[in-house]
Amino acid sequence: LNLPNHPLYENEYYFYPLGEGSWEVNFLARQIQEETFFPMKLNLMIGFEDFSDTMIYFNNMENNETFQFVFDKKPIYIDFDPENEIVLKVASLILSNPQMEAVDSKTSLKVFPSPADQYMRVVATTDPGIDFKLELYHPSGKRIYQRWFHGVTGQQEVTINTRPFAPGVYFVQMESASGKVVEKVVISH
C-alpha cells in the first residue's frame, strides 16, 4: 500500500451575509489521505467585489476544522495557498451552500491555463436544466466577455482568445439563479 507523504486537501467554503454590509467567510480544512493528518500553517487569499484582496494565515491543527472570518465588504472568491507555501500537496476547493445542504449540487468552474498566453479554457459544470452566464472581468472591474447558456446539462467548455487582453489578473464569473462562482486567472503574453 502506497500512502501519500503529503496532504491531500478537499476543502470547502461559503460566504454568508451578516447584514449591514458585513460578510462571513466559512472555510473547512479537510485532508482526505488515509491515516496520517499533517498539522499545517494554512493561508487563504480572499478576493472582494471591489477587486481588492487580503491574505489570511492560520494554523490547522485537526482534520475537518472550520474557520470563520468576518469582513466589511462582499467576498467573491477564495484562493487556497496561492503562494504555494505547502510545497507538496494536492488540493481542491469546493463552494458549498449551507442553506442547500440536502441538494447534491454539481456546479463548478475551472479556468486554465493560468497564466494564460493566447487562450484560456473555461469548463462550467452544472446541475441538469440550469441557465447560467459566464463573464470575464478586466482588473478594473469592466466586463469584457459575456455568454449565456440555457437549459444546460452537465459540462460546457468555452475557449476564450486572450491575445487582445493586456496582461493582468482577471476574474471569470459563472452566475445562475443559485448563486455565483468566481475564479481568478492571470493573463500574460
Side-chain angles (χ1 to χ4, degrees):
L1 183 63
N2 188 10
L3 297 176
N5 62 356
H6 58 276
L8 303 175
Y9 284 100
E10 191 173 272
N11 301 320
E12 295 184 23
Y13 73 96
Y14 66 90
F15 307 132
Y16 186 77
L18 299 174
E20 298 183 19
S22 291
W23 287 81
E24 183 177 78
V25 174
N26 288 271
F27 178 79
L28 172 68
R30 177 183 298 137
Q31 293 182 20
I32 60 169
Q33 71 278 355
E34 293 182 20
E35 297 183 27
T36 305
F37 171 78
F38 299 94
M40 295 291 226
K41 181 176 182 181
L42 302 182
N43 62 79
L44 297 175
M45 178 180 285
I46 313 287
F48 300 97
E49 195 170 49
D50 64 2
F51 294 100
S52 65
D53 57 47
T54 190
M55 288 289 291
I56 299 173
Y57 298 89
F58 52 98
N59 291 318
N60 177 211
M61 302 309 290
E62 62 185 56
N63 205 14
N64 295 313
E65 191 171 2
T66 301
F67 301 89
Q68 290 89 26
F69 311 100
V70 176
F71 299 97
D72 62 357
K73 51 189 168 181
K74 184 177 181 179
I76 59 170
Y77 75 88
I78 286 183
D79 197 355
F80 176 69
D81 192 29
E83 296 171 349
N84 290 316
E85 292 182 20
I86 306 171
V87 178
L88 288 175
K89 71 174 180 303
V90 175
S92 68
L93 192 57
I94 301 166
L95 175 64
S96 64
N97 186 337
Q99 288 84 20
M100 300 175 67
E101 289 180 5
V103 177
D104 183 21
S105 178
K106 308 266 188 297
T107 301
S108 68
L109 180 64
K110 295 179 183 174
V111 182
F112 56 93
S114 185
D117 180 17
Q118 298 183 16
Y119 69 92
M120 77 174 82
R121 291 177 50 198
V122 179
V123 178
T125 306
T126 67
D127 289 324
I130 297 292
D131 294 343
F132 69 92
K133 66 180 173 180
L134 282 177
E135 297 173 314
L136 176 63
Y137 286 90
H138 182 270
S140 69
K142 180 181 177 187
R143 184 179 66 219
I144 57 175
Y145 176 90
Q146 180 178 32
R147 182 168 173 190
W148 282 92
F149 296 85
H150 300 283
V152 171
T153 298
Q155 197 173 78
Q156 295 295 311
E157 186 171 321
V158 177
T159 300
I160 300 174
N161 177 4
T162 59
R163 287 179 285 229
F165 307 137
V169 178
Y170 290 73
F171 299 92
V172 178
Q173 177 176 285
M174 174 183 172
E175 184 175 0
S176 70
S178 60
K180 293 181 190 177
V181 178
V182 178
E183 288 292 331
K184 178 176 66 170
V185 63
V186 175
I187 294 177
S188 64
H189 303 292

